[in-house]
Amino acid sequence: MESNSKSVSHTKISEDKSSSELAPSFSIRLPIKFTYMKVRLTLTSTSTNTDHPKAVSSDNIVRAVNESLLQLFGIVGGAIPFNVIHFFENERAAILRVDKSSSQKLWNATTLLTVFADQPCRLEVMAASGSLASLAYNSQEFFSEIISDPINMM
């Protein structure tokens, strides 16, 4: 059962304090269905061996996360549908999409992933959001650019 997601607030039409006319303003909140996570794979090899593990690809990351889900939650609990929206090969990072109800399980599985291609690793969740657009730009970099060069940013 879904609740009505419209909310109504009233704002004054004029600044005159004698006027009590209020105009309705509406805001619509859309239900969030998915959680988007930007994750980065860091290989923490302590050996001096220069052999690189098998190529880091979106398919290999999906396999590793699925194995972590299986170990952590079992066959039934680990059956979480998720997919890779975009893979950044040079950063070894990916944007994952998962149902909002399963996002906590996926986050736990990525945190507990410690081996990739027989090498120690860390899969770090860099950002998570209900909106894909909010992952597109780093707000910390944006504000540091405004502070450093406010004239060219306008």
Side-chain angles (χ1 to χ4, degrees), residues 1-149:
M1 177 179 216
E2 290 188 36
S3 64
N4 189 354
S5 61
K6 292 184 181 179
S7 62
V8 178
S9 63
H10 297 283
T11 56
K12 286 192 175 185
I13 293 176
S14 67
E15 294 295 323
D16 184 13
K17 293 185 181 183
S18 64
S19 174
S20 62
E21 295 179 33
L22 298 177
S25 65
F26 295 95
S27 64
I28 298 175
R29 285 184 252 163
L30 299 175
I32 296 173
K33 295 181 181 181
F34 298 106
T35 299
Y36 299 91
M37 296 181 186
K38 185 171 184 182
V39 297
R40 181 177 54 202
L41 179 70
T42 305
L43 299 172
T44 57
S45 178
T46 57
S47 68
T48 57
N49 189 359
T50 58
D51 293 337
H52 295 290
K54 61 183 177 181
V56 177
S57 67
S58 62
D59 292 337
N60 294 337
I61 288 178
V62 168
R63 268 191 226 103
V65 172
N66 277 328
E67 288 175 13
S68 181
L69 281 165
L70 181 66
Q71 288 177 352
L72 188 59
F73 298 109
I75 295 172
V76 175
I80 295 173
F82 71 95
N83 54 356
V84 176
I85 299 293
H86 188 71
F87 181 68
F88 306 94
E89 190 172 352
N90 57 346
E91 298 176 29
R92 293 184 177 168
I95 295 177
L96 307 178
R97 181 179 72 178
V98 64
D99 288 335
K100 183 181 176 184
S101 61
S102 302
S103 63
Q104 205 59 41
K105 280 186 176 182
L106 185 67
W107 196 318
N108 292 339
T110 58
T111 302
L112 296 175
L113 180 66
T114 58
V115 176
F116 181 83
D118 298 326
Q119 250 189 337
C121 74
R122 180 180 71 213
L123 189 61
E124 176 185 10
V125 177
M126 300 169 59
S129 175
S131 164
L132 187 58
S134 65
L135 295 180
Y137 201 77
N138 185 348
S139 62
Q140 292 175 346
E141 290 176 7
F142 178 74
F143 287 118
S144 66
E145 289 175 11
I146 288 177
I147 291 171
S148 66
D149 195 7

